Amino acid sequence: MRGPNKPKPLTPQELRALFTVDKFRLLTFDQGVRLGLGNKNQVRDIFEKLVNLKLIGRTEQRDPDVLSKLPYLHFLKPAGARALEAALGEPGTAAKRRVRTQNEVRHRMGVVELRMALEIWLKASNFWQLEAFTTDFEPGSKGRAKATAFQKMRERDRAGYPPDATAHLRDGDGTLWGILFEYERGGARGDLSRFKRQKLPLLRELAGGQPRNSADEPLEPYFVEEQFAEGMQKAVRFAIVFEDEARRDRALKGWPEPTSPDWTRFFIKALPELETDFNGGWWRPDGTQRPLFLLS
């Protein structure tokens, strides 16, 4: 018999919301609506209840540039993980989020959007299955010890490089494919200089481009498949997604040696393009366009 202070069991809609927060790691009200958890008022009420029951937590940030609140980011708490285990037989993955800056909030929201777009495409396809989607802010990630980090690159003084997210997909023929995601905002000012100066050379090296050491001597190429997953049978796609078309265009305009074969597996889009068509219309550094995957 239920005691007087014991909360009522969660409704199917509330349980689904709890499961979805766990699945995407972080979720805003608006993203919950777009994922079909209910209309705006319903999602707000459900999330408020789950927060009050201490099943999920949330963090609120204030944007100093526009003096307005950023959306709440909701995340699973230990009690929520236990509730999922009691209801579904498998525990969720709890985390205590510490998101301190407006750029961090906006960046993590963008990474969640990447998975949402991928999930929409997969739902419409009968050929692909998502085996894993891992973010660099997975529960337990701290500092450089991130879930997406690759091992230290040989003969480089670098800690493990953490992509923003990785995805492992299997097609209908049983072939394993991989996507390395980078979501690029350029900070609040949209400054892409760090992306071009630091990140692109590293990504180029990961893709098998010719790396050099501090003495400008050639080193053995580093291939991302060595670290991505066992049984990877196809070249990993490098999916570089910019917050908007303006940032995408600036990046493409200043891409170094755009026709180099080093960029063969690089695909570029703006986030709004990704939301309307995940697979089609990716830009290449050489200015052409093609789907991310030619199979369907």
Side-chain angles (χ1 to χ4, degrees):
M1 187 173 182
R2 184 165 50 89
N5 296 321
K6 189 174 181 180
K8 295 180 180 179
L10 297 177
T11 67
Q13 194 174 18
E14 292 163 352
L15 187 60
R16 183 185 174 207
L18 190 65
F19 173 82
T20 305
V21 170
D22 178 44
K23 176 180 178 179
F24 286 88
R25 305 306 187 206
L26 295 171
L27 214 59
T28 67
F29 289 130
D30 177 66
Q31 289 169 339
V33 173
R34 287 158 52 205
L35 288 168
L37 298 180
N39 61 38
K40 185 175 182 179
N41 290 334
Q42 289 172 328
V43 171
R44 188 175 299 274
D45 290 344
I46 291 171
F47 279 25
E48 288 289 343
K49 178 180 177 179
L50 296 177
V51 168
N52 291 334
L53 291 174
K54 300 186 181 343
L55 301 181
I56 64 174
R58 66 186 178 192
T59 181
E60 180 182 6
Q61 298 294 321
R62 193 171 285 277
D63 186 335
D65 289 339
V66 297
L67 300 179
S68 64
K69 291 181 180 179
L70 288 172
Y72 285 123
L73 298 181
H74 300 84
F75 54 89
L76 194 70
K77 299 190 76 172
R82 292 192 295 271
L84 284 174
E85 183 174 26
L88 305 178
E90 294 185 9
T93 307
K96 183 178 180 181
R97 291 287 164 214
R98 294 183 179 180
V99 186
R100 296 186 174 89
T101 68
Q102 59 156 324
N103 286 333
E104 195 172 13
V105 172
R106 296 189 187 281
H107 188 271
R108 293 187 179 186
M109 286 171 56
V111 174
V112 172
E113 296 284 342
L114 301 183
R115 176 163 188 177
M116 289 175 61
L118 173 59
E119 294 268 1
I120 291 171
W121 175 63
L122 290 172
K123 189 175 181 179
S125 172
N126 295 320
F127 190 73
W128 298 90
Q129 179 180 345
L130 180 64
E131 294 205 345
F133 189 97
T134 308
T135 69
D136 73 342
F137 50 81
E138 292 291 313
S141 295
K142 185 179 180 181
R144 295 192 176 195
K146 295 183 175 180
T148 57
F150 298 133
Q151 294 179 8
K152 187 174 182 178
M153 300 174 71
R154 294 187 299 273
E155 301 184 51
R156 323 317 190 258
D157 185 20
R158 295 191 182 106
Y161 165 68
D164 289 332
T166 59
H168 297 72
L169 289 77
R170 196 172 295 277
D171 66 28
D173 297 326
T175 302
L176 186 63
W177 302 71
I179 308 174
L180 183 154
F181 285 104
E182 283 293 337
Y183 179 62
E184 185 62 41
R185 298 185 60 251
R189 298 180 179 179
D191 182 1
L192 301 181
S193 59
R194 180 178 175 274
F195 169 77
K196 295 178 180 178
R197 185 179 65 254
Q198 297 181 16
K199 190 172 288 187
L200 265 188
L202 175 57
L203 292 171
R204 188 177 192 174
E205 180 179 338
L206 281 169
Q210 184 63 53
R212 294 177 177 273
N213 61 17
S214 58
D216 199 33
E217 298 169 337
L219 297 169
E220 179 184 354
Y222 182 102
F223 292 94
V224 71
E225 286 78 14
E226 296 176 12
Q227 298 292 325
F228 205 82
E230 288 188 23
M232 187 63 60
Q233 297 155 286
K234 295 289 184 178
V236 170
R237 267 74 168 149
F238 285 66
I240 317 299
V241 181
F242 292 88
E243 185 178 53
D244 54 35
E245 289 87 347
R247 288 171 172 84
R248 177 208 64 200
D249 290 346
R250 292 209 313 275
L252 286 171
K253 185 176 180 180
W255 208 278
E257 301 177 281
T259 59
S260 168
D262 290 349
W263 307 118
T264 301
R265 60 169 97 185
F266 279 73
F267 298 78
I268 299 98
K269 262 195 178 185
L271 186 59
E273 295 177 297
L274 197 72
E275 293 169 345
T276 56
D277 181 4
F278 177 85
N279 190 51
W282 286 82
W283 294 89
R284 313 305 302 282
D286 64 5
T288 60
Q289 282 185 285
R290 58 152 282 184
L292 186 64
F293 298 107
L294 294 174
L295 301 177
S296 60

